[in-house]
Amino acid sequence: MGDTLYIVMPAYNEEANIREVVAEWYPILENGSEDSRMVISDGGSKDKTLEVLYELQKQYEKLVVIPKPGTDHGTKVILLYRYAIEHGADWIFQTDSDGQTVPAEFAAFWKLREKYDVIMGDRKKRGDGMGRKVVENVLRVYLKIFFGTFVPDANAPFRLMKSSVVAKYLDLMPADFNLPNAILAACFSKYHEKVCYRTVTFQPRQGGKNYMNVRRIFQIGMQSIRNFAEIRKRMKSFDSKRA
């Protein structure tokens, strides 16, 4: 197993954060091989996020920018995972571009790759409000109901994953599915992948305005849950092929 690392981030209206986020996370690529990359997909930002990213590419040679107007967070995450896999990533690290996660905590995750295929963040304390925590807990309950697995944190944007393990489960989800990280968390547990959870810091947003308010998150969650039944059917077919 090689050490080519792809750090992937979805972005939307992050003009206030993106310069600092890239500057803080880019040095993490030094942990991986020379072929490691940072890949950011902008979903049609209405501010200057994409313009800033193109400027940053002149400074950071391993920064890849993928403009994808009209795509939501989940769609961008799936796109980024597929891009990383298709371009030879051995390891995929996913975080968000809003400055809520802490690069200094990556080193412990990277070290654990010697024992585990997936190392997941667990946000014991959240800087984004109690409402988001409630929504997360509801999601965890639904994962238990639909997939029979209970995970500590279903949707944390701080996860280091062996690309070959991620590739096993991407086809279970529609390309525009809103909660791919939650389904991946359920699959890692359900199919007994070598996974561990580690507590991570989750800060308040460092700048800009979060368009994903609790009401919007709840709507996305309910829409995605309606897809859970179809994903569960696909899992049955997946199970039969594994048998």
PDB file of all heavy atoms in Angstrom, residues 4 8 18 32 39 75 87 112 119 133 141 156 166 170 193 198:
ATOM      1  N   THR A   4       0.212   7.745  -1.288  1.00  0.00           N
ATOM      2  CA  THR A   4      -0.298   8.896  -2.024  1.00  0.00           C
ATOM      3  C   THR A   4      -1.574   9.384  -1.338  1.00  0.00           C
ATOM      4  O   THR A   4      -2.555   8.652  -1.234  1.00  0.00           O
ATOM      5  CB  THR A   4      -0.590   8.536  -3.490  1.00  0.00           C
ATOM      6  OG1 THR A   4       0.633   8.145  -4.122  1.00  0.00           O
ATOM      7  CG2 THR A   4      -1.173   9.726  -4.238  1.00  0.00           C
ATOM      8  N   VAL A   8      -9.292  16.170   0.186  1.00  0.00           N
ATOM      9  CA  VAL A   8     -10.395  16.654  -0.641  1.00  0.00           C
ATOM     10  C   VAL A   8     -11.346  17.504   0.194  1.00  0.00           C
ATOM     11  O   VAL A   8     -11.637  17.191   1.347  1.00  0.00           O
ATOM     12  CB  VAL A   8     -11.149  15.488  -1.319  1.00  0.00           C
ATOM     13  CG1 VAL A   8     -10.204  14.685  -2.204  1.00  0.00           C
ATOM     14  CG2 VAL A   8     -11.821  14.567  -0.312  1.00  0.00           C
ATOM     15  N   ILE A  18     -11.216  30.579   2.565  1.00  0.00           N
ATOM     16  CA  ILE A  18     -10.517  29.611   1.732  1.00  0.00           C
ATOM     17  C   ILE A  18      -9.006  29.836   1.670  1.00  0.00           C
ATOM     18  O   ILE A  18      -8.230  28.870   1.617  1.00  0.00           O
ATOM     19  CB  ILE A  18     -11.135  29.572   0.310  1.00  0.00           C
ATOM     20  CG1 ILE A  18     -10.743  28.279  -0.401  1.00  0.00           C
ATOM     21  CG2 ILE A  18     -10.774  30.805  -0.494  1.00  0.00           C
ATOM     22  CD1 ILE A  18     -11.293  27.040   0.241  1.00  0.00           C
ATOM     23  N   GLY A  32       2.425  12.610   2.662  1.00  0.00           N
ATOM     24  CA  GLY A  32       2.242  11.619   1.613  1.00  0.00           C
ATOM     25  C   GLY A  32       3.357  11.637   0.586  1.00  0.00           C
ATOM     26  O   GLY A  32       4.370  12.332   0.732  1.00  0.00           O
ATOM     27  N   VAL A  39      -7.472  18.614  -3.446  1.00  0.00           N
ATOM     28  CA  VAL A  39      -8.489  18.816  -4.481  1.00  0.00           C
ATOM     29  C   VAL A  39      -9.708  19.480  -3.854  1.00  0.00           C
ATOM     30  O   VAL A  39     -10.273  18.971  -2.874  1.00  0.00           O
ATOM     31  CB  VAL A  39      -8.907  17.483  -5.134  1.00  0.00           C
ATOM     32  CG1 VAL A  39      -9.803  17.752  -6.345  1.00  0.00           C
ATOM     33  CG2 VAL A  39      -7.687  16.674  -5.551  1.00  0.00           C
ATOM     34  N   THR A  75     -23.024  15.869  -3.193  1.00  0.00           N
ATOM     35  CA  THR A  75     -22.655  15.594  -4.579  1.00  0.00           C
ATOM     36  C   THR A  75     -21.181  15.884  -4.814  1.00  0.00           C
ATOM     37  O   THR A  75     -20.475  15.121  -5.483  1.00  0.00           O
ATOM     38  CB  THR A  75     -23.511  16.443  -5.542  1.00  0.00           C
ATOM     39  OG1 THR A  75     -24.895  16.178  -5.300  1.00  0.00           O
ATOM     40  CG2 THR A  75     -23.184  16.121  -6.987  1.00  0.00           C
ATOM     41  N   HIS A  87      -7.523   8.939  -9.821  1.00  0.00           N
ATOM     42  CA  HIS A  87      -6.210   9.540 -10.053  1.00  0.00           C
ATOM     43  C   HIS A  87      -5.115   8.937  -9.173  1.00  0.00           C
ATOM     44  O   HIS A  87      -4.028   9.507  -9.046  1.00  0.00           O
ATOM     45  CB  HIS A  87      -6.280  11.055  -9.870  1.00  0.00           C
ATOM     46  CG  HIS A  87      -6.981  11.752 -11.001  1.00  0.00           C
ATOM     47  ND1 HIS A  87      -8.362  11.780 -11.113  1.00  0.00           N
ATOM     48  CD2 HIS A  87      -6.493  12.418 -12.085  1.00  0.00           C
ATOM     49  CE1 HIS A  87      -8.690  12.443 -12.207  1.00  0.00           C
ATOM     50  NE2 HIS A  87      -7.582  12.836 -12.812  1.00  0.00           N
ATOM     51  N   LEU A 112      -2.173   6.289  12.648  1.00  0.00           N
ATOM     52  CA  LEU A 112      -3.067   5.149  12.887  1.00  0.00           C
ATOM     53  C   LEU A 112      -3.334   4.337  11.623  1.00  0.00           C
ATOM     54  O   LEU A 112      -3.880   3.232  11.701  1.00  0.00           O
ATOM     55  CB  LEU A 112      -4.393   5.639  13.483  1.00  0.00           C
ATOM     56  CG  LEU A 112      -4.342   6.033  14.963  1.00  0.00           C
ATOM     57  CD1 LEU A 112      -5.631   6.746  15.358  1.00  0.00           C
ATOM     58  CD2 LEU A 112      -4.115   4.810  15.840  1.00  0.00           C
ATOM     59  N   ILE A 119      -9.927   5.880   9.618  1.00  0.00           N
ATOM     60  CA  ILE A 119      -9.869   6.577  10.897  1.00  0.00           C
ATOM     61  C   ILE A 119     -10.832   7.755  10.810  1.00  0.00           C
ATOM     62  O   ILE A 119     -10.676   8.636   9.960  1.00  0.00           O
ATOM     63  CB  ILE A 119      -8.447   7.074  11.231  1.00  0.00           C
ATOM     64  CG1 ILE A 119      -7.451   5.901  11.177  1.00  0.00           C
ATOM     65  CG2 ILE A 119      -8.427   7.702  12.612  1.00  0.00           C
ATOM     66  CD1 ILE A 119      -6.714   5.762   9.883  1.00  0.00           C
ATOM     67  N   LYS A 133     -26.100  19.383  16.537  1.00  0.00           N
ATOM     68  CA  LYS A 133     -25.871  18.143  17.273  1.00  0.00           C
ATOM     69  C   LYS A 133     -27.137  17.298  17.316  1.00  0.00           C
ATOM     70  O   LYS A 133     -27.091  16.065  17.163  1.00  0.00           O
ATOM     71  CB  LYS A 133     -25.405  18.461  18.699  1.00  0.00           C
ATOM     72  CG  LYS A 133     -25.122  17.229  19.557  1.00  0.00           C
ATOM     73  CD  LYS A 133     -23.948  16.425  19.018  1.00  0.00           C
ATOM     74  CE  LYS A 133     -23.576  15.281  19.933  1.00  0.00           C
ATOM     75  NZ  LYS A 133     -22.462  14.462  19.404  1.00  0.00           N
ATOM     76  N   VAL A 141     -29.628   7.708  14.590  1.00  0.00           N
ATOM     77  CA  VAL A 141     -30.741   6.801  14.895  1.00  0.00           C
ATOM     78  C   VAL A 141     -31.282   6.181  13.615  1.00  0.00           C
ATOM     79  O   VAL A 141     -31.558   4.968  13.559  1.00  0.00           O
ATOM     80  CB  VAL A 141     -31.860   7.554  15.648  1.00  0.00           C
ATOM     81  CG1 VAL A 141     -33.112   6.692  15.736  1.00  0.00           C
ATOM     82  CG2 VAL A 141     -31.388   7.943  17.047  1.00  0.00           C
ATOM     83  N   ALA A 156     -18.981  13.375  10.363  1.00  0.00           N
ATOM     84  CA  ALA A 156     -17.853  14.263  10.665  1.00  0.00           C
ATOM     85  C   ALA A 156     -16.976  14.488   9.440  1.00  0.00           C
ATOM     86  O   ALA A 156     -16.525  13.527   8.813  1.00  0.00           O
ATOM     87  CB  ALA A 156     -17.018  13.681  11.802  1.00  0.00           C
ATOM     88  N   VAL A 166     -13.140   2.924   0.341  1.00  0.00           N
ATOM     89  CA  VAL A 166     -14.185   3.848  -0.102  1.00  0.00           C
ATOM     90  C   VAL A 166     -14.801   3.367  -1.411  1.00  0.00           C
ATOM     91  O   VAL A 166     -16.025   3.403  -1.604  1.00  0.00           O
ATOM     92  CB  VAL A 166     -13.610   5.270  -0.282  1.00  0.00           C
ATOM     93  CG1 VAL A 166     -14.669   6.217  -0.854  1.00  0.00           C
ATOM     94  CG2 VAL A 166     -13.077   5.807   1.043  1.00  0.00           C
ATOM     95  N   LEU A 170     -19.142   3.280  -2.935  1.00  0.00           N
ATOM     96  CA  LEU A 170     -19.646   4.468  -3.615  1.00  0.00           C
ATOM     97  C   LEU A 170     -20.840   4.169  -4.509  1.00  0.00           C
ATOM     98  O   LEU A 170     -21.762   4.979  -4.624  1.00  0.00           O
ATOM     99  CB  LEU A 170     -18.534   5.121  -4.437  1.00  0.00           C
ATOM    100  CG  LEU A 170     -17.532   5.991  -3.677  1.00  0.00           C
ATOM    101  CD1 LEU A 170     -16.560   6.622  -4.662  1.00  0.00           C
ATOM    102  CD2 LEU A 170     -18.216   7.059  -2.853  1.00  0.00           C
ATOM    103  N   GLU A 193     -15.162  -3.214   8.482  1.00  0.00           N
ATOM    104  CA  GLU A 193     -13.879  -2.694   8.030  1.00  0.00           C
ATOM    105  C   GLU A 193     -13.018  -2.373   9.261  1.00  0.00           C
ATOM    106  O   GLU A 193     -13.528  -2.213  10.370  1.00  0.00           O
ATOM    107  CB  GLU A 193     -14.079  -1.431   7.186  1.00  0.00           C
ATOM    108  CG  GLU A 193     -14.900  -1.629   5.933  1.00  0.00           C
ATOM    109  CD  GLU A 193     -14.235  -2.494   4.872  1.00  0.00           C
ATOM    110  OE1 GLU A 193     -13.047  -2.853   5.050  1.00  0.00           O
ATOM    111  OE2 GLU A 193     -14.898  -2.816   3.862  1.00  0.00           O
ATOM    112  N   ARG A 198     -11.741   8.680  16.511  1.00  0.00           N
ATOM    113  CA  ARG A 198     -10.862   9.465  17.364  1.00  0.00           C
ATOM    114  C   ARG A 198     -11.474  10.852  17.554  1.00  0.00           C
ATOM    115  O   ARG A 198     -11.920  11.479  16.596  1.00  0.00           O
ATOM    116  CB  ARG A 198      -9.474   9.576  16.728  1.00  0.00           C
ATOM    117  CG  ARG A 198      -8.459  10.312  17.582  1.00  0.00           C
ATOM    118  CD  ARG A 198      -7.106  10.373  16.905  1.00  0.00           C
ATOM    119  NE  ARG A 198      -6.167  11.179  17.685  1.00  0.00           N
ATOM    120  CZ  ARG A 198      -5.373  10.686  18.621  1.00  0.00           C
ATOM    121  NH1 ARG A 198      -5.403   9.387  18.884  1.00  0.00           N
ATOM    122  NH2 ARG A 198      -4.551  11.475  19.301  1.00  0.00           N
TER     123      ARG A 198
END
